[in-house]
């Protein structure tokens, strides 16, 4: 799953500010504790990892030094032909938009998340987004989401067509038998 966040009023450098990254880190910490989320890839995650290597503290640093360093690395990655797709899409050029990538897996049956489990996970993610990052205009997307929506549409259409068939058979039976009881029994 991907979650794309957009800065309010497209403020340049918004996702390079420590206070915004701290909000994002709190959200990510709650999400990674979910048993169906196996890993996270994001600007905040990599900044915390860099800070852990440099200072031994896995947190967003107060100074912008490491944040600027990561921003330079990401800009450099975007310009290379062999750029890692996941790393290159972490942010846009001016850090007004970032993308969090979540690797998900059904922890109950050790399989890919099916429709119901995916819907439950998305609801849990939406709850966490409302709590921590709702002001960042979050949007969840992925190929799996397309299949989830397609499945919901098919289920809805199937229910409607089954109901229509039952009503039509009832009407035809009532007309053929000229009796409501026999039509209902049919």
């Amino acid at each position: 799953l991907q979650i794309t966040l957009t800065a309010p009023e497209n403020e340049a450098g918004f996702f390079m500010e420590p206070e915004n990254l701290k909000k994002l880190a709190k959200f990510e910490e709650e999400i990674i504790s979910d048993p169906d989320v196996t890993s996270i890839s994001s600007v905040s995650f990599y900044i915390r990892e860099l800070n852990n290597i440099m200072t031994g503290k896995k947190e967003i640093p107060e100074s912008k030094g490491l944040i600027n360093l990561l921003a330079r690395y990401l800009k450099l990655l975007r310009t290379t032909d062999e750029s890692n797709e996941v790393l290159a899409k972490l942010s846009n050029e001016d850090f007004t938009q970032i993308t969090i990538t979540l690797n998900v897996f059904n922890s109950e049956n050790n399989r890919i998340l099916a429709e119901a489990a995916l819907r439950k996970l998305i609801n849990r993610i939406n709850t966490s987004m409302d709590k921590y990052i709702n002001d960042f205009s979050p949007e969840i997307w992925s190929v799996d989401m397309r299949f989830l929506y397609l499945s919901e549409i098919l289920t809805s259409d199937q229910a409607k067509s089954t109901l229509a068939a039952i009503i039509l058979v009832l009407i035809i039976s009532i007309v053929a038998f000229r009796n409501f009881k026999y039509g209902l029994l049919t």
Side-chain angles (χ1 to χ4, degrees), residues 115 146-156:
E115 298 166 30
R146 291 181 194 161
F147 291 120
L148 180 64
Y149 294 139
L150 178 63
S151 175
E152 289 173 353
I153 290 169
L154 289 174
T155 302
S156 171

Side-chain angles (χ1 to χ4, degrees), residues 7-163:
E9 300 175 16
N10 287 324
E11 181 185 331
F14 182 82
F15 290 108
M16 291 178 64
E17 295 298 325
E19 62 271 3
N20 297 329
L21 290 170
K22 286 178 182 179
K23 286 182 184 179
L24 186 57
K26 287 179 183 176
F27 165 72
E28 290 174 3
E29 287 168 4
E30 184 167 310
I31 292 301
I32 198 65
S33 68
D34 191 294
D36 292 336
V37 177
T38 59
S39 66
I40 289 182
S41 176
S42 73
V43 170
S44 167
F45 172 80
Y46 289 112
I47 289 171
R48 285 181 286 149
E49 287 297 317
L50 279 173
N51 194 39
N52 189 30
I53 291 168
M54 300 295 285
T55 66
K57 297 177 184 176
K58 195 171 185 176
E59 59 188 28
I60 301 295
E62 294 297 325
S63 71
K64 290 179 69 173
L66 283 176
I67 299 168
N68 289 331
L69 178 65
L70 182 63
R72 287 188 195 110
Y73 284 150
L74 292 175
K75 287 178 184 180
L76 180 65
L77 278 173
R78 277 197 236 25
T79 61
T80 63
D81 292 335
E82 301 89 28
S83 68
N84 180 323
E85 185 180 327
V86 173
L87 292 176
K89 73 177 179 182
L90 285 176
S91 72
N92 62 354
E93 200 61 37
D94 60 356
F95 283 83
T96 57
Q97 193 173 63
I98 61 171
T99 299
I100 302 168
T101 301
L102 306 174
N103 291 326
V104 296
F105 195 74
N106 193 328
S107 61
E108 291 179 15
N109 61 15
N110 292 326
R111 294 189 177 165
I112 296 172
L113 282 173
E115 298 166 30
L118 181 60
R119 174 57 58 204
K120 288 177 185 177
L121 175 62
I122 290 170
N123 288 338
R124 291 191 303 267
I125 291 171
N126 281 329
T127 300
S128 294
M129 286 191 308
D130 288 344
K131 191 178 350 178
Y132 295 107
I133 58 172
N134 199 32
D135 53 335
F136 296 168
S137 305
E139 179 185 346
I140 300 176
W141 57 278
S142 77
V143 173
D144 295 341
M145 296 282 291
R146 291 181 194 161
F147 291 120
L148 180 64
Y149 294 139
L150 178 63
S151 175
E152 289 173 353
I153 290 169
L154 289 174
T155 302
S156 171
D157 288 350
Q158 185 177 17
K160 289 175 188 174
S161 64
T162 301
L163 182 62

